Amino acid sequence: MDEKRTGLFENGLIWFGAGVSIAEILTGTYLAPLGMGKGLAAIIVGHIIGCLMLFLAGVIGGKVRKSAMETVKMSFGQKGSVLFAVLNVLQLVGWTAIMIYDGALAADGVMHTGRWIWCLVIGALIILWIVIGITNLGKINTVAMAALFILTLILCKVIFTGSGVGTPSDDSMTFGAAVELAVAMPLSWLPLISDYTREAKEPVKATAVSAVTYGIVSCWMYVIGMGAAIITGEYDIAQIMLKAGLGILGLLIIVFSTVTTTFLDAYSAGISSETVVSRWNGKHVAIVVTVIGTAAAIVYPMDNITDFLYLIGSVFAPMIAIQIADFFLLKQDKSSQAVHMLNMIIWVIGFVVYRILMNVDMPVGNTLPDMVITIILCLIAGKLIPEKNQKNKKLRKMAAVPVVNNLPAQRPFFMIKIHRQNLSTFIKILICLLFNKII
């Protein structure tokens, strides 16, 4: 029996839903100090950079028909990928909690029934989406996306044709920092996109549709948030909707945009968990992640996510840079190894460089320079330091390359032990960093 695959339209709908997000509207409000002209330029530049990276990440997974975290094994080895799978699950739990919190807070601002009630409602709807499954959401997503499209058009009309006190531009936000905030959202989807493109009938075309759709819609959400802050002087999306008299319509935008976006976070957390423990069921884990996210959203305040966004960038920008170098340029597959330590070291350098560049204001932000530096390091290492074994064959036919689960027989046991100790240290340090930013 043929495996059910998703079409271009279905992938477009999935990423339309990812783009229509309260979190992206709120992030757009942070750009208001730049003014409309510079703010719009920063949004466009940032999304071009971020969505190009998103496209390349999706192509890798789509071509080899592997999940995002399975493709990480091709650059970091069987055990090396566990680090990124753990970090990805943690960032997705964080995103699930943040999205439910933001959605519930905004919904409560419209209806005043209690934030915890809306956390439970949104969490229950996300679980319903998970139970239905990614390949069976076609008609439901079509109806939901059509409704969201109409409602966001109404929201745009209210914001940009209404009157308000306006917010003058100032120097509290630099252009480079604004670009980086615009890059951050598509960058946060990098460890997820292959979970969906691998299911597509035409993976490369589906990836292009996904990246372009998400980029356009995400820019739109940023502009709504920025425009609302500049024109109305209001940064609270619930208050904007109330002042506009949207009422129930505003509530529907809040709830369904939160569900369609957060579903992707929880679903991909489940898929990534299978890389950590192969016997786990991804759908069951996704439900558990939603429950944890719902509980965290009820208990913890999560009002400012800028540090969280920057941390995500510092972890995943150098990771995808190494994958891009290995897959498209060096054409190497390291999945037969336990841990590819050279790439691990390059990733650590990329992580540190990103954190340093955060203190340097550059017109293109710090993600792009960091990725360029990381790719150059990979190319130099790949040319100057030959692999000790010849397991890294050229990727002539990527879709047919199997995942190798056994470790090379010739690798000494003490080397594997050292690698695992290093891996454990990386995980402990970055888990502490991640939780410090989320909570």
Side-chain angles (χ1 to χ4, degrees):
M1 186 171 65
D2 292 336
E3 187 177 354
K4 189 172 182 180
R5 297 288 185 185
T6 55
L8 299 181
F9 183 68
E10 290 170 297
N11 278 274
L13 285 179
I14 289 169
W15 289 94
F16 181 94
V20 179
S21 162
I22 294 298
E24 300 192 47
I25 294 176
L26 291 174
T27 305
T29 64
Y30 301 152
L31 277 61
L34 281 179
M36 188 64 76
K38 286 186 178 180
L40 183 59
I43 291 169
I44 293 172
V45 170
H47 278 81
I48 289 174
I49 295 170
C51 289
L52 178 60
M53 300 302 106
L54 189 67
F55 171 74
L56 294 175
V59 167
I60 295 173
K63 280 193 171 184
V64 299
R65 297 291 186 188
K66 292 178 181 178
S67 70
M69 288 299 106
E70 285 292 316
T71 65
V72 174
K73 293 179 180 180
M74 295 164 61
S75 289
F76 295 94
Q78 292 289 317
K79 300 300 181 183
S81 66
V82 173
L83 166 66
F84 300 99
V86 170
L87 293 174
N88 190 40
V89 171
L90 287 173
Q91 74 119 349
L92 291 173
V93 172
W95 268 122
T96 301
I98 288 167
M99 294 301 299
I100 293 174
Y101 176 85
D102 285 342
L105 192 66
D108 185 53
V110 175
M111 295 297 290
H112 303 290
T113 55
R115 177 168 59 85
W116 68 273
I117 292 177
W118 287 109
C119 285
L120 294 175
V121 169
I122 293 170
L125 288 173
I126 294 167
I127 290 174
L128 176 62
W129 250 245
I130 293 168
V131 170
I132 293 171
I134 189 70
T135 56
N136 298 314
L137 278 172
K139 291 182 179 178
I140 294 176
N141 255 0
T142 301
V143 173
M145 293 309 106
L148 281 176
F149 181 69
I150 294 170
L151 291 172
T152 46
L153 285 177
I154 295 171
L155 181 59
C156 278
K157 180 180 183 299
V158 169
I159 291 172
F160 293 106
T161 61
S163 59
V165 296
T167 301
S169 59
D170 56 48
D171 297 328
S172 62
M173 170 70 68
T174 66
F175 185 82
V179 168
E180 195 56 32
L181 285 178
V183 173
M185 282 296 183
L187 197 67
S188 70
W189 293 108
L190 284 180
L192 285 72
I193 187 169
S194 293
D195 297 344
Y196 307 96
T197 56
R198 68 170 182 161
E199 305 285 353
K201 296 174 187 174
E202 302 173 278
V204 177
K205 290 182 181 178
T207 303
V209 168
S210 300
V212 171
T213 301
Y214 173 79
I216 292 171
V217 176
S218 181
C219 284
W220 182 17
M221 294 299 106
Y222 269 70
V223 170
I224 288 176
M226 182 179 67
I230 293 173
I231 296 172
T232 69
E234 181 61 70
Y235 286 72
D236 186 337
I237 193 66
Q239 293 303 313
I240 293 169
M241 291 180 180
L242 283 174
K243 289 179 180 179
L246 289 178
I248 296 300
L249 290 178
L251 182 65
L252 290 174
I253 294 174
I254 292 167
V255 172
F256 279 100
S257 66
T258 303
V259 170
T260 56
T261 303
T262 314
F263 156 74
L264 300 179
D265 295 321
Y267 177 82
S268 284
I271 299 299
S272 292
S273 71
E274 293 176 347
T275 301
V276 181
V277 182
S278 58
R279 66 178 179 271
W280 285 356
N281 181 291
K283 183 174 284 189
H284 296 164
V285 174
I287 293 173
V288 172
V289 166
T290 305
V291 172
I292 294 172
T294 302
I298 293 172
V299 175
Y300 297 108
M302 305 176 192
D303 296 303
N304 192 324
I305 63 171
T306 53
D307 287 340
F308 180 62
L309 291 175
Y310 290 137
L311 181 59
I312 289 172
S314 61
V315 170
F316 294 111
M319 182 200 78
I320 191 60
I322 293 169
Q323 288 186 265
I324 290 169
D326 277 347
F327 189 91
F328 294 103
L329 302 175
L330 295 173
K331 301 186 184 301
Q332 293 179 347
D333 181 1
K334 285 113 177 181
S335 58
S336 62
Q337 301 183 31
V339 178
H340 194 275
M341 287 306 298
L342 183 57
N343 277 355
M344 276 291 189
I345 292 169
I346 293 172
W347 172 78
V348 171
I349 294 172
F351 177 89
V352 173
V353 168
Y354 186 103
R355 306 303 294 187
I356 292 172
L357 290 176
M358 286 176 61
N359 300 312
V360 182
D361 184 39
M362 291 178 285
V364 293
N366 44 294
T367 292
L368 184 59
D370 179 69
M371 292 185 69
V372 170
I373 292 169
T374 306
I375 289 173
I376 290 173
L377 289 176
C378 279
L379 295 178
I380 293 172
K383 297 299 182 182
L384 297 182
I385 306 175
E387 295 295 326
K388 291 183 180 180
N389 59 55
Q390 299 302 316
K391 297 291 184 180
N392 300 324
K393 297 179 179 179
K394 298 293 183 180
L395 304 180
R396 306 289 186 186
K397 300 176 181 178
M398 289 308 304
V401 176
V403 175
V404 181
N405 293 316
N406 295 323
L407 301 179
Q410 68 270 29
R411 183 174 295 277
F413 176 78
F414 76 90
M415 289 181 66
I416 296 173
K417 186 174 182 180
I418 291 172
H419 292 165
R420 287 177 179 171
Q421 287 175 344
N422 291 338
L423 189 60
S424 175
T425 302
F426 292 151
I427 290 175
K428 288 176 182 176
I429 292 172
L430 289 169
I431 285 175
C432 291
L433 284 172
L434 192 57
F435 272 114
N436 284 337
K437 299 302 182 184
I438 294 175
I439 299 175

